[in-house]
């Protein structure tokens, strides 16, 4: 019997540790030239941060504090983040 060799190749991924201390794995999608992102929601339902995987497999973390968002200008932002940073009536 000839022993078989198993080669396991894994794609590089980005990692992010969320507010509940879980490790989140994110991929970079080369065909779309876009990284996956993860929005980290806190216990109150407001988001806290967003993690994005870059083409160099580094994780960029944006916080709500980096965005000048208010209930008045919330509609100017597209996507979930950063609109989820605040609760409006």
């Amino acid at each position: 019997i000839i022993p078989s060799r198993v080669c396991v190749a894994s794609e590089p991924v980005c990692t992010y540790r969320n507010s509940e201390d879980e490790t989140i794995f994110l991929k970079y999608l080369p065909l779309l030239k876009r990284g996956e992102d993860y929005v980290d929601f806190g216990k109150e339902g407001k988001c806290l941060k967003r993690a994005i995987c870059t083409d160099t497999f580094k994780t960029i973390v944006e916080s709500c504090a980096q965005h000048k968002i208010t209930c008045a200008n919330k509609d100017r932002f597209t996507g979930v983040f950063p609109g989820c940073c605040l609760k409006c009536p």
Side-chain angles (χ1 to χ4, degrees):
I1 297 175
I2 301 172
S4 63
R5 292 176 49 145
V6 177
C7 293
V8 177
S10 63
E11 302 177 38
V13 293
C14 298
T15 58
Y16 172 73
R17 176 84 58 189
N18 71 10
S19 60
E20 298 186 17
D21 210 33
E22 301 168 326
T23 300
I24 306 299
F25 296 97
L26 304 166
K27 294 180 186 176
Y28 181 77
L29 309 167
L31 294 176
L32 298 175
K33 295 185 178 170
R34 193 172 69 99
E36 288 183 321
D37 70 337
Y38 171 82
V39 178
D40 191 356
F41 285 89
K43 303 264 188 234
E44 297 84 42
K46 290 192 315 185
C47 58
L48 307 170
K49 296 179 181 181
R50 175 171 72 160
I52 306 164
C53 188
T54 69
D55 60 344
T56 56
F57 302 99
K58 294 199 183 339
T59 305
I60 294 175
V61 179
E62 298 177 342
S63 70
C64 288
Q66 291 174 269
H67 297 274
K68 306 286 186 236
I69 187 164
T70 64
C71 288
N73 72 2
K74 182 178 176 177
D75 293 337
R76 288 192 234 153
F77 294 90
T78 60
V80 173
F81 190 87
C84 58
C85 291
L86 48 96
K87 293 262 185 189
C88 297

